[in-house]
C-alpha cells in the first residue's frame, strides 16, 4: 500500500511539473491530449470496464460535446467555462435519452444502437451545415487567460482529468462499484441480490455522457479546428482498446493504456501510417491472448519469477474420536 | 416514383442478403459478427479488382470474389470465434469481431484507396435502361435466390439439418456426435461465400468502397432485428421494409437523415415487438 501511494505521489508530481521539464511545446500538447482523452475514457471505463456495457459509439458523444463548445464559445460568444458546462450537460442529457431505450437491450443490440448514434451524429453534423460548418468544419476558440498559454491549458485539462479520476475512483471502490461489477459478471445474480440493474447502468452511462461532453469541449479547444473527419468511428475503437488493454475493472490500467496508446503513434512514425489497423490488431491480440488486460501478463511473469508460496495445512484425522463416535452404543 | 420503389427494393435486397449472412453464422455459433458487412464489402472490392484491374471475365471474377469471401469467413472463425467461444464470455466475440472488421477495413482502405471506385457492368446493357437496369434487379434476384437456396439447404441436406440441430442446442448436438467445431467452420465459409455474392451482385449499386462494411453491418442487423433473429423470410421482409423506408424517406424528406430513420425503425420494432416480426420469443435468462 505504501509503495502504491508513493508511486502515485511521484506520478502526480511529474504530471504537475511537466511544463517545467517538457522538451518542447509538442510534448505538452501531447500530454494535454492524453488528459483530454482520459476525461472521456475515465467515464467510459465505468461503463465498459466495470458495468460491461460495450458502448462503441462514444465518439458520437465526444462530437456533440466538441460542437456544442465550438458553437457556444465561438459564434454565440458564451464564456468558455459556461460553454464547457453546457457541453457536459447536453451530453449528459443525450446520454440519458440514448440510455433509456438502449440500455434495456442485450449486449450486441446495445453495441449496435450506440454505433448507430455515432453514425447519426456524423450525419447530423453534415446535414446542418449552417450551424456546424458541414464538411468545412469550425474554428474553436481557446480559453481566456490564464488558460490561453499551452502550460495554462495543460493545467486546466489536467485538473479536469484528475477530477474525473477522483469521481470514478470514489464510485469504483465503494458499494456502487461492486454492484457494477456484479452487473458485468452476472446481471441475473446482481438483480437477485438487490442491485438496481437498469438504474445503475443508466446512472453510469449518463455520467460517462457528461465526461464525454467535457472531454469533447477541451478536445475541440486543443485541436483548435474541428471537422466531421476529426470524429471518425475508429476513434471509438481507440477508446475501447485503451480500456481493454489496461484491464477491465481497474482505473490505473486504462490510464496507463491511454497514455501509452496516445503517445505511441506520435513517437513511432510507422505506426501512425497504419493507424487504426494497428489498434484493431492490438485489440484482437489482447482479446485472444489476455482478455484480463496487459496487467495480467506482468502478474504471470511475476508469479513465474517468484512463485507464491502456498502454505499447506495438513489435516490429521482424529482417529480416536472417530472410533469413539463409531463405538457409541445406539 | 417507380424508380424510388425499385431502388429501395434493391438496397433492401442487399440489406436482406446481409441479414441472411448474419443468420447463417448465428445458427451455428450464436454469434452476431461485426464482420458481416465487411464480407460483402470484400465481395464488391475484389470483384471490381478482378474484373477491372486484372481484366478477367466476370464469371472468373465472381468465382474469385466468392473464394476471397469464403477465405475471409473461415479466417473469421479461426481468428475471432474459435478461441473466444471456448472461453464462454459472451462479450468477447463482439470485441474480437470488431477488431477483425476494423483491420480488414483499414487494410482494404490502404490497399484499394479510400475513394469509391466504379464496379464494372456484368451484362451488356444500355445505361439508360431506367428501372430495368441490372444494378437494381441483380441484388433482388440474388437475395431471393439466397433465401430460397438456404431454405432448401436447411430442409433437404444433411449439413443443413446439422446446422438446424446446432442452432437448437449445440451441446445436445455435440452429445449426439455432431462435430460442432467443423460444422461451425463450414457455416462460416458458406456465410463468407454468400456475403461475397451479395456484395458482388450489388457492386454496381454501392460501388467498390472500403467503408461500406460498417454501414452494411448496421443496416443488415436492423433488417435482421426487424424481421426476427434466425428467420430467413423475416430477413427478406425486414430488408425490403428498411430499403423502402430509406428510399421513400430520402425522396420525401431528403437524404441527410437515412441512418436516423433506420435506427428509428429499429427502436420502434424493438419497443413494440422485441423478438422481431417473425422471430421466436426470447426466454428469460434465468
Amino acid at each position: 500500500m505504501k509503495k502504491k501511494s508513493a508511486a502515485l505521489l511521484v506520478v502526480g508530481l511529474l504530471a504537475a511539473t511537466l511544463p517545467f521539464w517538457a522538451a518542447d511545446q509538442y510534448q505538452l500538447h501531447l500530454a494535454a491530449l492524453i488528459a483530454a482523452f482520459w476525461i472521456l475514457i475515465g467515464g467510459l471505463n465505468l461503463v465498459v470496464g466495470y458495468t460491461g456495457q460495450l458502448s462503441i459509439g462514444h465518439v458520437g458523444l465526444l462530437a456533440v460535446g466538441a460542437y456544442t463548445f465550438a458553437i457556444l464559445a465561438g459564434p454565440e460568444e458564451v464564456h468558455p467555462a459556461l460553454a464547457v458546462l453546457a457541453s457536459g450537460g447536453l451530453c449528459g442529457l443525450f446520454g440519458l435519452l440514448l440510455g433509456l431505450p438502449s440500455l434495456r437491450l442485450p449486449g450486441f443490440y446495445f453495441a449496435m444502437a450506440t454505433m448507430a448514434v455515432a453514425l447519426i451524429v456524423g450525419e447530423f453534423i453534415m446535414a446542418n451545415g449552417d450551424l456546424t460548418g458541414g464538411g468545412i468544419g469550425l474554428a474553436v476558440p481557446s480559453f481566456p487567460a490564464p488558460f490561453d498559454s499551452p502550460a495554462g491549458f495543460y493545467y486546466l485539462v489536467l485538473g479536469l482529468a484528475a477530477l474525473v479520476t477522483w469521481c470514478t475512483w470514489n464510485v469504483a471502490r465503494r458499494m456502487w462499484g461492486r454492484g457494477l461489477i456484479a452487473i458485468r459478471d452476472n446481471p441475473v445474480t446482481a438483480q437477485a441480490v438487490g442491485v438496481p440493474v437498469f438504474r445503475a447502468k443508466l446512472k453510469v452511462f449518463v455520467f460517462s455522457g457528461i465526461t464525454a461532453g467535457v472531454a469533447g469541449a477541451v478536445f475541440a479547444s486543443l485541436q483548435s479546428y474541428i471537422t466531421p473527419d476529426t470524429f471518425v468511428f475508429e476513434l471509438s475503437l481507440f477508446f475501447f482498446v485503451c480500456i481493454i488493454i489496461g484491464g477491465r475493472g481497474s482505473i490505473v490500467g486504462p490510464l496507463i493504456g491511454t497514455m501509452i496508446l496516445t503517445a505511441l503513434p506520435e513517437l513511432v512514425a510507422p505506426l501512425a501510417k497504419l493507424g487504426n489497423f494497428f489498434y484493431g490488431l492490438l485489440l484482437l491480440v489482447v482479446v485472444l491472448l489476455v482478455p484480463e488486460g496487459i496487467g495480467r501478463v506482468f502478474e504471470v511473469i511475476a508469479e513465474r519469477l517468484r512463485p507464491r508460496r502456498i502454505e499447506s495445512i495438513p489435516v490429521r484425522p482424529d482417529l480416536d474420536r472417530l472410533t469413539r463416535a463409531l463405538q457409541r452404543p445406539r | 416514383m417507380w424508380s424510388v420503389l425499385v431502388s429501395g427494393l434493391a438496397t433492401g435486397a442487399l440489406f436482406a442478403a446481409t441479414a441472411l449472412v448474419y443468420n447463417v453464422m448465428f445458427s451455428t455459433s450464436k454469434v452476431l459478427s461485426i464482420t458481416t458487412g465487411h464480407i460483402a464489402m470484400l465481395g464488391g472490392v475484389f470483384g471490381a479488382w478482378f474484373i477491372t484491374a486484372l481484366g478477367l471475365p466476370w464469371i472468373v471474377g465472381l468465382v474469385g470474389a466468392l473464394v476471397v469471401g469464403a477465405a475471409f469467413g473461415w479466417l473469421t472463425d479461426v481468428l475471432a470465434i474459435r478461441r473466444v467461444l471456448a472461453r464462454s464470455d459472451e462479450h468477447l466475440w463482439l470485441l474480437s469481431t470488431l477488431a477483425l472488421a476494423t483491420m480488414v477495413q483499414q487494410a482494404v482502405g490502404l490497399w484499394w484507396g479510400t475513394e469509391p471506385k466504379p464496379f464494372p457492368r456484368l451484362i451488356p446493357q444500355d445505361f439508360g435502361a431506367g428501372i430495368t437496369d441490372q444494378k437494381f434487379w441483380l441484388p433482388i434476384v440474388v437475395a431471393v435466390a439466397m433465401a430460397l437456396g438456404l431454405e432448401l439447404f436447411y430442409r433437404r441436406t444433411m449439413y443443413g439439418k446439422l446446422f438446424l440441430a446446432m442452432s437448437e442446442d449445440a451441446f445436445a448436438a455435440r452429445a449426439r456426435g455432431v462435430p460442432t467445431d467443423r460444422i461451425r467452420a463450414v457455416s462460416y465459409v458458406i456465410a463468407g461465400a454468400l456475403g461475397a455474392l451479395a456484395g458482388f451482385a450489388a457492386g454496381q449499386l454501392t460501388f467498390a468502397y472500403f467503408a461500406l462494411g460498417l454501414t452494411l453491418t448496421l443496416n443488415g442487423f436492423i433488417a435482421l432485428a426487424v424481421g426476427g433473429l434466425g428467420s430467413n423470410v423475416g430477413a427478406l421482409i425486414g430488408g425490403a421494409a428498411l430499403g423502402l423506408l430509406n428510399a421513400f424517406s430520402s425522396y420525401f424528406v431528403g437524404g441527410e437523415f437515412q441512418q436516423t430513420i433506420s435506427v428509428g425503425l429499429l427502436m420502434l420494432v424493438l419497443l413494440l415487438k422485441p423478438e422481431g416480426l417473425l422471430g421466436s420469443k426470447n426466454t428469460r435468462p434465468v
Side-chain angles (χ1 to χ4, degrees):
Chain A
M1 204 59 221
K2 225 170 204 174
K3 251 191 212 163
K4 253 188 196 167
S5 37
L8 207 65
L9 201 68
V10 169
V11 171
L13 272 179
L14 281 180
T17 55
L18 182 75
F20 301 103
W21 54 266
D24 48 32
Q25 296 289 325
Y26 181 65
Q27 283 182 9
L28 209 57
H29 175 86
L30 201 59
L33 188 67
I34 291 173
F37 277 149
W38 173 247
I39 296 174
L40 186 146
I41 294 172
L44 184 64
N45 185 27
L46 283 183
V47 176
V48 173
Y50 280 85
T51 323
Q53 304 298 311
L54 301 181
S55 164
I56 50 180
H58 259 63
V59 71
L61 292 171
L62 183 80
V64 170
Y67 272 95
T68 310
F69 178 78
I71 292 165
L72 284 184
E76 303 289 329
E77 295 183 341
V78 176
H79 190 272
L82 282 178
V84 170
L85 285 183
S87 293
L90 189 71
C91 279
L93 191 68
F94 199 66
L96 180 72
L97 289 180
L98 169 64
L100 270 176
S102 64
L103 278 170
R104 295 175 197 273
L105 303 174
F108 188 80
Y109 284 67
F110 175 71
M112 278 290 143
T114 54
M115 181 174 120
V117 164
L119 297 179
I120 287 174
V121 168
E123 215 173 65
F124 190 81
I125 291 169
M126 289 302 263
N128 292 286
D130 44 345
L131 190 67
T132 61
I136 304 162
L138 271 183
V140 187
S142 57
F143 280 78
F147 302 121
D148 51 349
S149 69
F153 188 69
Y154 167 73
Y155 280 125
L156 174 72
V157 185
L158 188 70
L160 285 171
L163 182 71
V164 168
T165 317
W166 182 68
C167 289
T168 55
W169 188 60
N170 268 342
V171 170
R173 76 198 167 112
R174 296 275 163 79
M175 193 175 77
W176 264 88
R178 301 287 152 88
L180 297 179
I181 292 177
I183 294 173
R184 180 190 72 194
D185 288 345
N186 195 332
V188 177
T189 315
Q191 202 164 23
V193 296
V195 179
V197 174
F198 179 68
R199 262 164 66 190
K201 282 200 272 192
L202 191 62
K203 279 177 188 165
V204 165
F205 195 70
V206 170
F207 176 71
S208 84
I210 296 171
T211 59
V214 174
V218 291
F219 175 71
S221 184
L222 191 67
Q223 297 287 331
S224 73
Y225 198 88
I226 51 173
T227 67
D229 286 341
T230 319
F231 306 98
V232 287
F233 177 74
E234 278 75 14
L235 203 55
S236 266
L237 189 78
F238 164 75
F239 300 147
F240 230 86
V241 179
C242 290
I243 294 173
I244 300 294
I245 204 171
R248 292 188 283 173
S250 142
I251 291 178
V252 180
L255 178 57
I256 296 173
T258 312
M259 289 182 192
I260 294 176
L261 283 182
T262 314
L264 208 58
E266 311 277 339
L267 302 178
V268 188
L271 283 184
K273 213 176 104 188
L274 286 177
N276 298 313
F277 182 83
F278 168 69
Y279 292 135
L281 184 67
L282 210 57
L283 182 60
L284 190 65
V285 168
V286 170
V287 167
L288 289 185
L289 298 182
V290 274
E292 298 91 352
I294 288 288
R296 177 79 192 136
V297 176
F298 295 115
E299 276 173 31
V300 169
I301 292 174
E303 208 132 291
R304 279 279 165 76
L305 293 178
R306 224 173 350 154
R308 204 165 18 142
R309 214 173 297 143
I310 299 165
E311 275 184 41
S312 60
I313 305 164
V315 180
R316 212 165 277 133
D318 192 348
L319 285 179
D320 291 340
R321 214 170 132 198
L322 186 65
T323 337
R324 256 182 286 133
L326 286 176
Q327 282 169 350
R328 189 184 300 157
R330 245 161 268 176
Chain B
M1 191 55 94
W2 279 107
S3 67
V4 180
L5 185 74
V6 173
S7 76
L9 274 179
T11 357
L14 178 60
F15 298 157
T18 317
L20 290 174
V21 176
Y22 265 117
N23 261 343
V24 173
M25 292 198 262
F26 184 77
S27 69
T28 57
S29 60
K30 301 288 170 223
V31 164
L32 291 166
S33 171
I34 297 190
T35 54
T36 311
H38 298 78
I39 296 174
M41 180 272 287
L42 282 178
V45 166
F46 272 90
W49 185 62
F50 282 133
I51 299 172
T52 315
L54 300 187
L56 299 170
W58 70 266
I59 191 83
V60 182
L62 173 63
V63 173
L66 289 190
V67 169
V68 169
F72 180 63
W74 181 75
L75 202 68
T76 310
D77 179 48
V78 170
L79 282 181
I81 307 292
R82 188 168 291 177
R83 285 182 61 110
V84 166
L85 278 191
R87 274 185 187 264
S88 85
D89 184 335
E90 65 165 313
H91 288 320
L92 282 178
W93 51 260
L94 212 171
L95 296 178
S96 60
T97 54
L98 176 65
L100 193 64
T102 313
M103 282 164 66
V104 166
Q105 178 169 338
Q106 294 302 321
V108 170
L110 287 175
W111 165 71
W112 179 253
T114 50
E115 290 295 314
K117 293 185 189 170
F119 195 89
R121 220 64 180 152
L122 297 179
I123 303 159
Q125 190 183 18
D126 243 11
F127 274 98
I131 57 169
T132 54
D133 197 288
Q134 52 179 309
K135 73 174 180 184
F136 294 131
W137 56 259
L138 265 181
I140 299 178
V141 168
V142 163
V144 173
M146 264 169 69
L148 287 178
L150 278 176
E151 219 42 46
L152 274 182
F153 174 72
Y154 283 142
R155 278 163 206 252
R156 293 290 161 84
T157 65
M158 195 61 195
Y159 265 101
K161 288 186 173 151
L162 292 182
F163 278 30
L164 283 187
M166 274 187 77
S167 78
E168 286 290 322
D169 191 333
F171 285 111
R174 202 184 176 93
R176 292 294 240 161
V178 176
T180 44
D181 283 347
R182 208 171 70 212
I183 299 292
R184 198 182 58 235
V186 169
S187 82
Y188 273 74
V189 169
I190 292 176
L194 288 181
L197 177 65
F200 188 88
Q204 297 175 52
L205 195 67
T206 62
F207 299 115
Y209 182 36
F210 87 112
L212 183 69
L214 217 53
T215 332
L216 266 189
T217 298
L218 180 65
N219 282 309
F221 172 71
I222 293 175
L224 186 68
V226 168
L229 196 56
S231 157
N232 287 339
V233 182
L236 280 187
I237 296 174
L242 183 61
L244 287 178
L245 185 70
N246 265 350
F248 277 102
S249 66
S250 55
Y251 181 75
F252 286 116
V253 186
E256 297 102 332
F257 297 105
Q258 285 208 351
Q259 305 282 359
T260 319
I261 289 164
S262 321
V263 175
L265 175 70
L266 174 69
M267 286 294 168
L268 190 72
V269 171
L270 285 182
L271 283 178
L272 296 179
K273 205 164 184 302
E275 71 273 12
L277 294 177
L278 296 176
S280 50
K281 264 217 164 77
N282 262 357
T283 42
R284 284 192 45 154
V286 180

